[in-house]
Amino acid sequence: MSETYDWIVVGNGVTGASVSYELAKNGQTVLLIERHHPLQGATRYSYGGVAYWSATTPLTFQLCQDSHALYPKLGEELGHDIGFSEIDLLLTVSPDQDPETASQKYLNCLNPPQPLSTQEACELEPLLNPDAISGALTVKHGQVDPEAMVAAYNQAFQSIGGKIQIATVTGLERAGDRITGVTTDQGGYGADKVLLSTGGLTRSLLEKEGIAIRQYFTHAELIETPILDDVRLRTLIMPADTQRFDLEAEAGNPELDSHWDEMGREIVPPILDVGVVQLPDGRLRIGQVSRALTDPHATIDAAQSEMEMRQGIEHIVPALRNVPGQWHHCLVAFSGDRLPLIGPFSQSEGLWIFSGFSNPFAILPPLARRFAAHVTGGEDDIIPTLAPDRPGLTAWQ
Ligand SMILES: Cc1cc2nc3c(=O)[nH]c(=O)nc-3n(C[C@H](O)[C@H](O)[C@H](O)COP(=O)(O)OP(=O)(O)OC[C@H]3O[C@@H](n4cnc5c(N)ncnc54)[C@H](O)[C@@H]3O)c2cc1C
């Protein structure tokens, strides 16, 4: 091993990219290790929606309010465009429901989406099929270009001395119970602290080390189109009755935890949330199927999924019939209680986690900022509250 860093951050999705930058900004020497260039994880295929309206607890209220203030300035601070804008989110209501009833589900949100008639929904999004809905809900939603956001964080990180290494972390270096670095396919790297931001692969990485964590993942599938000049969506479209979070809540039930250690299981049936987003450059991401399969490398019937996603979106937005596009797949991490897993591990000194987000864009930039300030000596009222009572993690001051 050559140089020893204050921190090694593993994983360069939006989580690792933001936290590595914030640590470096607080004067830490940081090595960020990512196995893929270009990226292939959840961030690469995300819609990049910033649901800062969706907070439901005092903790998420605070973080979403921080995000609302931070996002418009973030690109300027990082010195690169992150593709941020505020758009109308359109949550479609199926004909067997009515918008008033559908809106009840969101009443305790910081800024609850408002019901619209079919006509109002179609005025907001002229490409909608009025016969496919009974109306919609709408709220102002942030949107970023997820790949641009990672690139912006990375460039700002490197400009203040952060280093990036493309390598696959294969294990942890130890001296007794203390973690002293990582092994990779490119050699070993030493650090005072190793922080895992490895998304859906965190559980299997830790399993190899004999460390248990209640973090799970879905296999997410979507279709990405090339840049389409002849289609212009005005809104980000999702179903009002989103199934993904229900699937995560069910599959993350602590009683099912041991099932996740059995390869080849499907914890709960798959879901399809019919939605579409247009990125600032004109590409569409159409989705999304989520599956709770315990094997991160499980084989999936791509043709069948693609057909179901296409049928779903063509019904809601007929203009998208036969758009060119390619099926993609990635893993999306979640924690079971919708809160991030942040903190040091109790059994392995020097090993930390900053992961487990299912809807991270709404809270991540301020959370990464608070985390880095706190671990470098600042006070924070939120960060220390996130570790206690989470199996495997320990409280810290
Ligand atoms: C279709 C879709 C739409 C979504 N829409 C939204 C949305 O609108 N809003 C929102 O907030 N969220 C959304 N999400 C979820 C969100 O995108 C993810 O939760 C988020 O991107 C996860 O970021 P991450 O950095 O934790 O994980 P990832 O982006 O998966 O990054 C983890 C990284 O770790 C690397 N890694 C793993 N193991 C190793 C190793 N051993 N060595 C080196 N590197 C390793 C991986 O290569 C990967 O790049 C969506 C997800 C999908 C799939």
Side-chain angles (χ1 to χ4, degrees):
M1 276 187 224
S2 46
E3 194 177 346
T4 295
Y5 297 88
D6 293 326
W7 293 83
I8 287 175
V9 175
V10 187
N12 186 28
V14 66
T15 307
S18 55
V19 79
S20 57
Y21 163 72
E22 296 292 349
L23 285 167
K25 216 176 75 179
N26 278 275
Q28 303 290 287
T29 56
V30 185
L31 175 67
L32 172 60
I33 304 181
E34 164 60 47
R35 62 186 188 142
H36 286 137
H37 182 72
L39 291 176
Q40 294 179 26
T43 304
R44 159 68 184 84
Y45 295 111
S46 180
Y47 293 166
V50 184
Y52 35 51
W53 52 271
S54 66
T56 53
T57 62
L59 184 141
T60 51
F61 269 37
Q62 180 62 58
L63 290 170
C64 284
Q65 280 164 343
D66 290 355
S67 266
H68 197 254
L70 182 55
Y71 265 105
K73 302 181 291 198
L74 188 58
E76 195 181 323
E77 172 184 330
L78 300 177
H80 299 275
D81 189 14
I82 62 169
F84 175 77
S85 63
E86 199 159 70
I87 58 169
D88 293 307
L89 175 66
L90 203 92
L91 299 169
T92 55
V93 181
S94 58
D96 59 347
Q97 272 199 314
D98 71 89
E100 283 294 341
T101 313
S103 69
Q104 304 295 310
K105 180 174 168 179
Y106 296 96
L107 278 186
N108 60 347
C109 291
L110 178 60
N111 187 15
Q114 297 302 306
L116 296 178
S117 66
T118 299
Q119 189 186 338
E120 288 167 330
C122 292
E123 280 164 13
L124 203 57
E125 181 50 82
L127 295 181
L128 271 185
N129 173 9
D131 298 330
I133 57 171
S134 66
L137 311 179
T138 190
V139 66
K140 290 287 177 199
H141 194 67
Q143 199 201 349
V144 293
D145 177 333
E147 295 149 278
M149 185 158 154
V150 168
Y153 268 124
N154 286 170
Q155 285 164 25
F157 169 65
Q158 287 173 299
S159 74
I160 52 175
K163 302 231 173 85
I164 300 181
Q165 177 69 46
I166 301 301
T168 299
V169 170
T170 49
L172 302 172
E173 297 273 9
R174 292 167 188 271
D177 283 342
R178 190 172 169 77
I179 303 300
T180 56
V182 297
T183 54
T184 78
D185 56 355
Q186 308 287 317
Y189 298 92
D192 192 35
K193 300 186 188 73
V194 172
L195 179 69
L196 300 179
S197 289
T198 34
L201 287 170
T202 310
R203 191 179 176 97
S204 53
L205 184 65
L206 286 171
E207 210 164 56
K208 281 199 292 184
E209 301 292 327
I211 300 171
I213 185 87
R214 284 211 190 127
Q215 201 224 54
Y216 315 101
F217 55 88
T218 51
H219 290 255
E221 299 165 66
L222 72 152
I223 300 165
E224 184 175 85
T225 74
I227 293 170
L228 297 180
D229 293 324
D230 53 343
V231 176
R232 192 50 51 192
L233 283 171
R234 291 193 191 161
T235 60
L236 193 162
I237 300 174
M238 300 270 292
D241 191 15
T242 312
Q243 309 281 304
R244 176 158 78 93
F245 299 120
D246 297 341
L247 177 146
E248 290 180 358
E250 237 183 288
N253 178 342
E255 285 173 18
L256 300 180
D257 191 61
S258 61
H259 295 190
W260 281 93
D261 296 327
E262 297 166 25
M263 277 301 105
R265 276 196 88 129
E266 180 154 43
I267 305 283
V268 292
I271 62 94
L272 167 60
D273 281 330
V274 177
V276 58
V277 59
Q278 190 153 34
L279 296 169
D281 66 8
R283 283 175 298 165
L284 299 181
R285 289 188 182 148
I286 298 169
Q288 135 185 31
V289 175
S290 300
R291 298 176 197 274
L293 301 169
T294 57
D295 179 357
H297 308 291
T299 307
I300 286 168
D301 185 343
Q304 176 67 25
S305 291
E306 178 166 351
M307 189 186 74
E308 288 170 15
M309 288 188 283
R310 282 188 177 278
Q311 283 174 348
I313 203 64
E314 285 167 18
H315 184 53
I316 303 282
V317 185
L320 301 186
R321 182 164 297 128
N322 298 330
V323 284
Q326 199 184 340
W327 174 91
H328 292 281
H329 163 263
C330 60
L331 301 181
V332 180
F334 67 95
S335 66
D337 63 5
R338 294 192 68 173
L339 286 176
L341 287 160
I342 295 183
F345 284 85
S346 42
Q347 302 297 325
S348 304
E349 201 189 338
L351 182 63
W352 293 60
I353 187 166
F354 193 91
S355 186
F357 300 83
S358 52
N359 201 14
F361 285 89
I363 57 172
L364 195 48
L367 198 58
R369 185 155 295 185
R370 284 169 175 269
F371 172 82
H374 187 62
V375 296
T376 53
E379 299 239 326
D380 192 78
D381 49 343
I382 285 182
I383 295 297
T385 67
L386 290 169
D389 303 329
R390 321 223 48 185
L393 301 186
T394 188
W396 84 100
Q397 295 307 310

